[in-house]
Amino acid sequence: MGTVKPRKRYLLFHVEAEKQLHEKNVKEAVFSGFQRLFGEVEAGRLGIRWVGFKPEERWGILLCSQEAVVKVRAALALLTSLEGGKARFSTVRVSGTLKSLREFLRERKP
Amino acid sequence: MGGFVDLQVAFPESLEKAESLAFHLRKLGFKAVALTVQNGGKPENLEEVKEVFSRHRVEAALRVNLSPETSGRLLKDLRRLRGLFEIIGVICCNKQVARQAAKDHRVDLLLFPPGKLRLFDRAEVELASGSEAALELPLSSLLDVSGRQRLTYFWEAARASRLALKRNIPVVLTSGAKDLYGLRAPRDLAAVGEAVYGLPSQAALASVSKVPWRILERNREKLSQDFVEVGVRLVRRNGDC
């Protein structure tokens, strides 16, 4: 008997920050935020993976299981600072495929 | 009306700040916002600020947060300010004020600073269920504390929201933002309500949409010139009959 593969979701988030951003620091802030809120064990169970971040446009994409979407959104909402300045993370879109998120981003460009 | 509402954002200090606040609120998906002043009177540039928000298609309402030290002071403030503000929130710093605020029909939202959420107990819930007051959980209260205080706030907020929902007292989630970095998307606020305070998913979404709209519309109706009392509205005036 086969096991059911957990459904995954891609989260597109946007960062509003006072300072200039670097992918490495954003990634570190996001993962330590998850760890702080849910603890190491629970954060590990969320199955979060970093897909990418564009510092110029301040868009980032995360991958997680469908059940973890609410928790990931909450953890991002609780982040308040980056690179020593104020910051705001907001989840813009949740999708099952990376393709549709990329299309969404293309459409938003002027 | 429908859509998302943030019932607590600090009143902008200037028109430029109002412009950027309105832009960000719209971008995050809000259709209405309650601009909040602390304890004071009506701001002078209110009409200009409302105009800025309406240009960005965000409805702006005016709210006051009262933080009285005694119930007598609270009653005085309510008498003075109820007719001027669309929303009134009371910051309950002690039991006396909390009890008075919970039973007063003129109070819309009950707020408890971190460390005081334990005042929202069964007796408080009993009083609030007989009035129209809702429990407000601003995200800023959570973000302003850290360490052990934050853990206590998680626990207390979860307990308070459980108690409130049990007695059908509405829960409202707000950002409590003082600048644009304090704002959060409505679904992100709902996610905090669900993941951190343990609200059911439907109730969490309602706490940033249906519930605040209901409060806003109820108060606007009460402040309109045609309002006589609950359920009674003036349809025509003398000359129109």
Side-chain angles (χ1 to χ4, degrees):
Chain A
M1 239 173 72
T3 52
V4 182
K5 211 174 163 188
R7 281 168 179 260
K8 60 188 180 183
R9 286 289 178 266
Y10 291 93
L11 271 93
L12 175 70
F13 64 89
H14 184 251
V15 188
E16 204 70 54
E18 286 180 326
K19 302 277 171 74
Q20 209 184 344
L21 302 176
H22 301 92
E23 180 171 0
K24 190 185 150 208
N25 297 347
V26 177
K27 188 177 174 181
E28 207 176 289
V30 167
F31 280 96
S32 64
F34 291 141
Q35 213 173 320
R36 212 170 37 242
L37 185 63
F38 298 111
E40 284 179 357
V41 177
E42 184 63 23
R45 281 193 195 133
L46 297 178
I48 306 154
R49 274 169 54 198
W50 185 261
V51 178
F53 182 76
K54 285 197 167 178
E56 319 82 51
E57 289 148 20
R58 302 186 166 190
W59 295 108
I61 298 177
L62 281 170
L63 173 66
C64 68
S65 65
Q66 190 184 25
E67 295 74 40
V69 169
V70 171
K71 287 182 177 173
V72 174
R73 276 191 107 129
L76 288 176
L78 295 184
L79 297 174
T80 54
S81 62
L82 261 178
E83 317 250 5
K86 285 184 187 177
R88 179 185 80 217
F89 283 73
S90 44
T91 307
V92 180
R93 211 172 178 85
V94 181
S95 172
T97 64
L98 204 50
K99 191 180 157 194
S100 72
L101 285 189
R102 288 195 171 132
E103 272 169 18
F104 170 78
L105 280 177
R106 248 197 315 274
E107 279 167 20
R108 278 181 77 113
K109 275 184 186 167
Chain B
M1 276 303 281
F4 295 112
V5 187
D6 191 342
L7 274 192
Q8 195 186 171
V9 172
F11 194 89
E13 291 155 12
S14 64
L15 287 181
E16 294 83 65
K17 284 190 178 169
E19 192 79 44
S20 113
L21 197 61
F23 171 78
H24 279 91
L25 279 163
R26 184 68 205 172
K27 200 169 110 183
L28 290 171
F30 285 104
K31 284 204 171 164
V33 62
L35 300 172
T36 310
V37 294
Q38 306 290 333
N39 289 318
K42 265 190 172 181
E44 284 172 7
N45 59 348
L46 175 63
E47 287 313 313
E48 287 109 304
V49 169
K50 277 194 171 179
E51 177 61 37
V52 168
F53 277 81
S54 77
R55 262 208 313 276
H56 287 274
R57 286 179 291 130
V58 179
E59 266 189 55
L62 190 60
R63 165 182 169 156
V64 65
N65 271 353
L66 303 175
S67 46
E69 280 169 9
T70 62
S71 58
R73 182 75 234 173
L74 172 63
L75 291 173
K76 253 187 208 167
D77 287 347
L78 285 172
R79 218 171 296 138
R80 190 167 55 91
L81 300 170
R82 181 65 274 191
L84 299 175
F85 291 88
E86 283 149 298
I87 308 282
I88 291 191
V90 176
I91 302 172
C92 305
C93 292
N94 59 53
K95 204 179 212 174
Q96 194 195 14
V97 171
R99 297 290 191 257
Q100 183 58 48
K103 65 184 176 194
D104 201 307
H105 286 259
R106 294 168 295 182
V107 175
D108 300 311
L109 296 158
L110 300 169
L111 286 106
F112 297 87
K116 299 284 179 187
L117 248 173
R118 66 193 150 73
L119 291 173
F120 193 81
D121 55 12
R122 283 177 191 212
E124 183 82 358
V125 168
E126 206 59 49
L127 289 171
S129 65
S131 73
E132 289 174 336
L135 171 70
E136 179 184 353
L137 297 169
L139 188 69
S140 58
S141 297
L142 177 58
L143 299 178
D144 288 348
V145 291
S146 58
R148 213 180 121 192
Q149 264 189 312
R150 185 179 269 205
L151 290 181
T152 315
Y153 190 81
F154 282 159
W155 188 82
E156 289 282 3
R159 183 197 56 83
S161 45
R162 220 173 24 245
L163 256 179
L165 289 181
K166 214 170 164 184
R167 289 301 310 262
N168 292 326
I169 293 168
V171 177
V172 175
L173 298 173
T174 60
S175 67
K178 290 167 192 81
D179 55 26
L180 54 95
Y181 294 106
L183 297 174
R184 290 295 180 276
R187 286 182 192 278
D188 291 352
L189 286 175
V192 172
E194 196 179 336
V196 180
Y197 305 146
L199 289 171
S201 149
Q202 289 295 317
L205 265 180
S207 66
V208 285
S209 54
K210 277 187 213 159
V211 177
W213 266 120
R214 216 168 34 227
I215 296 171
L216 201 57
E217 285 185 341
R218 182 187 71 204
N219 289 351
R220 282 186 169 165
E221 196 191 328
K222 280 185 183 175
L223 288 174
S224 89
Q225 290 183 334
D226 296 338
F227 179 79
V228 180
E229 65 173 78
V230 180
V232 185
R233 200 161 51 89
L234 191 68
V235 184
R236 280 185 204 146
R237 287 176 193 282
N238 198 9
D240 306 333
C241 294

